[in-house]
Amino acid sequence: MTAPAEKPPLTVLLAAPRGFCAGVERAIEAVEAARAATDRPVYVRHEIVHNGRVVRALEETGVVFVDEVAAIPDGAVTIFSAHGVSRAVEQEAAARGLDVIDATCPLVRRVHTEGRRHVADGRTLIVIGHRDHVEVEGLVGQVDGAVHVVESVEEARMLAIPDPERLAYVTQTTLSVDDTRDIIAALKARFPTIVGPDLKTICYATQNRQAALRSIAARAERVIVCGARNSSNTNRLAELARVLGRPALLVEDAGEIGEDFVAGVSTIGLTSGASAPEALVQEALARLAHWRRLDLEEIRVTQESVRFAPVDLGALAG
Ligand code: SF4
């Protein structure tokens, strides 16, 4: 009898930090706490965080996810997602008398406050971000007055502003650090008196995951990014890997990883977006282990210690 052929080795560089950020953990815990605290129906406007697995697990406990407040029945507990909502949505829920639990990430809330402050100072606000993303919709809708959304350097160059002397900008929290730097430079070149936070409103978790990706991409031939296709920060990770010249595979489920992606590869990078559970990374490793003998190496660029105070459960508390 011949011995089975030994699997060829594969070095896996695990990015750290990766996966859940403090805002995502806080938002999921808020939904779980609300579910545990009441027998009333619990509705969440929008996915609580952009991850289908997280949403499905909460649905199994009876939580219902809807796109609009209008779809929430009277008397239901109403939760706003980590991405934040516009004032119109807040007002609609208040007018309906719904009990609202606001799981907006404090770092998104901080951008709302900063945007409002600039407008109160008489400045026109530019939001750097993706106009169809729910966070940007909420941010734009939190600011009274003129707001312009800019997605690219090209748009920054084309922007027509009536009062270009009094401008300010803020950014979505989950953007590419490099692209945002370029857009800010383009805005400053056109509008030298513009004021803004530089890259500070891109949140710590987004920045750290991009820095970790950079480190693994320096050595990995290819990169696997675990996370949802509608997650902004997850997409930015896959994009960054490709910009760095590394073929990248974004997977929502480990089953999407094909043997061909690692064929002939000796070192692969593995990371996950801020809304992706660690279980997904572990399943990706188990999948790779079908074909290869894994040698794991964690590449940590920083230690994260950010924790936010729990979401206020309002009428459901204690
Ligand atoms: Fe908050 Fe950043 Fe996480 Fe978004 S990615 S929930 S802004 S910590």
Side-chain angles (χ1 to χ4, degrees):
M1 219 166 101
T2 50
E6 201 176 293
K7 294 175 188 172
L10 177 67
T11 300
V12 182
L13 304 178
L14 275 166
R18 64 178 179 274
F20 280 1
C21 61
V24 160
E25 282 182 351
R26 173 179 180 268
I28 295 169
E29 284 163 12
V31 180
E32 290 169 346
R35 179 65 291 167
T38 181
D39 292 331
R40 288 160 57 193
V42 174
Y43 277 65
V44 182
R45 182 193 177 275
H46 197 74
E47 290 186 347
I48 185 71
V49 300
H50 282 155
N51 190 274
R53 175 187 294 228
V54 170
V55 168
R56 283 192 296 279
L58 291 169
E59 280 175 338
E60 280 168 18
T61 70
V63 175
V64 181
F65 292 83
V66 295
D67 289 332
E68 296 304 337
V69 168
I72 299 173
D74 290 341
V77 173
T78 300
I79 303 179
F80 293 154
S81 76
H83 315 93
V85 298
S86 67
R87 280 191 165 154
V89 170
E90 289 173 342
Q91 286 160 2
E92 185 185 355
R96 294 264 317 277
L98 295 169
D99 279 336
V100 170
I101 294 171
D102 185 358
T104 302
C105 177
L107 301 183
V108 173
R109 203 33 107 188
R110 196 175 68 179
V111 185
H112 293 176
T113 305
E114 184 149 352
R116 281 201 292 265
R117 181 174 58 79
H118 287 307
V119 171
D121 286 347
R123 295 182 185 275
T124 299
L125 187 68
I126 295 171
V127 171
I128 301 173
H130 301 283
R131 56 176 61 76
D132 293 335
H133 192 275
V134 65
E135 180 188 325
V136 171
E137 289 170 4
L139 169 57
V140 169
Q142 281 285 336
V143 177
D144 299 322
V147 184
H148 301 262
V149 179
V150 166
E151 292 201 358
S152 63
V153 168
E154 194 53 34
E155 286 188 10
R157 291 197 183 119
M158 306 284 286
L159 194 61
I161 298 278
D163 183 6
E165 294 305 312
R166 292 200 58 75
L167 285 181
Y169 69 85
V170 291
T171 77
Q172 188 180 338
T173 57
T174 51
L175 297 179
S176 149
V177 170
D178 294 338
D179 291 352
T180 307
R181 191 182 286 117
D182 292 345
I183 294 170
I184 292 170
L187 288 172
K188 285 184 172 169
R190 276 201 65 202
F191 311 111
T193 58
I194 194 168
V195 297
D198 291 322
L199 299 169
K200 285 196 215 71
T201 48
I202 298 180
C203 81
Y204 80 96
T206 300
Q207 301 215 26
N208 289 346
R209 279 149 193 70
Q210 288 177 23
L213 187 280
R214 241 175 224 291
S215 281
I216 59 169
R219 285 175 50 203
E221 294 151 71
R222 296 183 165 206
V223 174
I224 296 170
V225 179
C226 298
R229 291 189 179 83
N230 62 343
S231 157
S232 175
N233 79 86
T234 305
N235 277 292
R236 303 294 82 77
L237 291 172
E239 238 172 55
L240 178 57
R242 292 179 192 125
V243 166
L244 296 169
R246 302 293 182 261
L249 187 65
L250 191 163
V251 295
E252 297 193 351
D253 184 285
E256 294 172 45
I257 303 169
E259 189 175 3
D260 55 334
F261 191 70
V262 288
V265 170
S266 60
T267 306
I268 194 146
L270 181 57
T271 188
S272 53
S275 47
E278 177 63 13
L280 193 47
V281 171
Q282 296 306 319
E283 287 161 16
L285 288 171
R287 177 118 176 126
L288 293 172
H290 281 309
W291 311 303
R292 306 290 287 270
R293 183 165 42 81
L294 304 187
D295 175 17
L296 302 186
E297 190 181 332
E298 187 168 82
I299 308 287
R300 176 169 293 283
V301 296
T302 188
Q303 200 75 41
E304 286 181 347
S305 55
V306 176
R307 280 293 291 169
F308 299 125
V311 174
D312 181 0
L313 296 186
L316 297 189

